[in-house]
Amino acid sequence: MLYLIFYLHLKAFNIKFKETGLENMVRMRRLRASSSLRDLVRETVVTTDDLVYPVFIKEGKNIKEPVASMPGIYQYSNDRFDEELERVISSGIKAILVFGIPKHKNETGSEAYNDNGVTQNIIRKIKKKAPDIILIADVCLCEYTSHGHCGIVCGREVLNDETLELLAKTSVSLAKAGADIIAPSDMMDGHVAYIRKALDITGFKNTPIMAYSAKFASGYYSPFRDAAQSAPSFGDRKTYQMDPANGREAIRECENDIAEGADIIMVKPALAYLDVIKEVSNHTNYPIAAYNVSGEYSMVKAAALNGWIDEKKVVMENLVSIKRAGAGIIITYHALDAVKWLKEA
């Protein structure tokens, strides 16, 4: 009798179950039931090896100046950089992107290719103290020119071909100082080929080029211009940096840089251009870097300082999204914090 009652109840349940269609339901939540299961099936993982930390070195002595628009970021003089270098070494971060800020600027940005310049000197110092850290040297003239543009200026025009020789001189000077990777960010046409040839004929054929291939004329750069003291004194950079509305053009830029000899290609900024990172990753098997830029950093910091967001959760979510889109190298001012959080996980 009890068996019959149980059978009837079960039959009624099966009828109701079938009526809802639940018997065919895919139960995606099964693999989310515990942190261990979630870890087991996680598709994208950010590691310390993925991260590059940008630093700002200012010519002078005893300088540690906070960048007002970038909480937690400082300009350091060569003699004060040891404390920051120690933090990088202890974190396990393996790569630094170096920006130099000279005392003296002129029309041609000659301090950029001065073998005894601020950037060259800090590269030599870091190489001596931490030889295993990969030093990526940004190559552009904007921090070094009196007008703040990325090339030679005639009137109000930024000259492309005339700038290439200076970019090549800068690249060779930085490679001589010990830079492991040359990273031209100027967006002049033909710059990668010109730099590649200059490096090759001066004995640096094994020095890779990380090209800022798809660098957009973005509003997210404003805090960086405070940090690097590189705001243009007239006009803007829209005649050489990319229109934010163009995606297909970014593919062409990347293809051109690869054809000219780039070893790594970059999309900058990152978060507003995740679609571009994905498209580039679908078009090439070359290593892809993405620059999580100053404005993206500062917005997160401002919201966190106001208590509006959980900084750790948002930063790590942003970094995962950049890697998921296809970037294997992430340049970010969050790097030191991110490594600390990764160790806590």
Side-chain angles (χ1 to χ4, degrees), residues 248-267:
R248 292 191 300 273
E249 183 184 356
I251 304 299
R252 292 178 59 203
E253 286 279 10
C254 292
E255 289 174 343
N256 284 342
D257 283 354
I258 290 170
E260 290 181 13
D263 302 281
I264 303 167
I265 52 178
M266 186 194 300
V267 176

Side-chain angles (χ1 to χ4, degrees), residues 27-218:
R27 294 193 178 274
M28 302 292 287
R29 291 181 56 188
R30 286 179 184 139
L31 298 179
R32 301 172 193 157
S34 70
S35 60
S36 296
L37 272 171
R38 293 191 294 273
D39 290 345
L40 183 67
V41 298
R42 183 160 293 130
E43 299 173 17
T44 306
V45 178
V46 173
T47 72
T48 301
D49 292 346
D50 301 325
L51 305 178
V52 177
Y53 185 50
V55 298
F56 299 97
I57 309 301
K58 190 171 185 177
E59 191 172 9
K61 292 187 179 299
N62 196 31
I63 297 170
K64 182 183 177 182
E65 295 179 359
V67 179
S69 55
M70 298 179 70
I73 301 299
Y74 295 83
Q75 297 170 332
Y76 291 92
S77 55
N78 189 313
D79 60 316
R80 289 290 303 274
F81 187 66
D82 284 354
E83 59 187 271
E84 188 74 338
L85 181 58
E86 284 303 317
R87 288 211 302 155
V88 173
I89 294 169
S90 62
S91 75
I93 290 171
K94 297 178 180 177
I96 295 174
L97 175 60
V98 182
F99 296 96
I101 308 164
K103 275 186 180 179
H104 305 293
K105 305 187 180 192
N106 57 30
E107 289 290 305
T108 58
S110 59
E111 283 300 303
Y113 40 91
N114 177 359
D115 287 344
N116 197 38
V118 58
T119 310
Q120 287 81 350
N121 284 334
I122 194 64
I123 287 172
R124 279 189 284 267
K125 176 176 183 171
I126 296 171
K127 267 298 163 193
K128 185 175 180 180
K129 287 182 171 288
D132 292 332
I133 286 182
I134 297 168
L135 288 178
I136 305 169
D138 179 81
V139 173
C140 195
L141 300 182
C142 61
E143 298 109 292
Y144 303 91
T145 54
S146 51
H147 47 71
H149 277 286
C150 301
I152 295 175
V153 168
C154 181
R156 297 178 71 86
E157 180 185 358
V158 178
L159 304 177
N160 191 94
D161 297 2
E162 292 81 353
T163 298
L164 299 181
E165 179 65 31
L166 302 187
L167 296 173
K169 287 176 66 176
T170 301
S171 299
V172 171
S173 178
L174 293 167
K176 283 167 57 180
D180 297 294
I181 298 175
I182 298 299
S185 61
D186 53 279
M187 288 298 286
M188 297 296 119
D189 290 338
H191 62 161
V192 172
Y194 211 97
I195 290 169
R196 182 73 272 159
K197 182 177 180 181
L199 290 171
D200 289 353
I201 65 177
T202 52
F204 298 103
K205 64 181 180 181
N206 292 322
T207 300
I209 294 175
M210 174 190 285
Y212 287 63
S213 301
K215 181 179 179 181
F216 291 84
S218 172

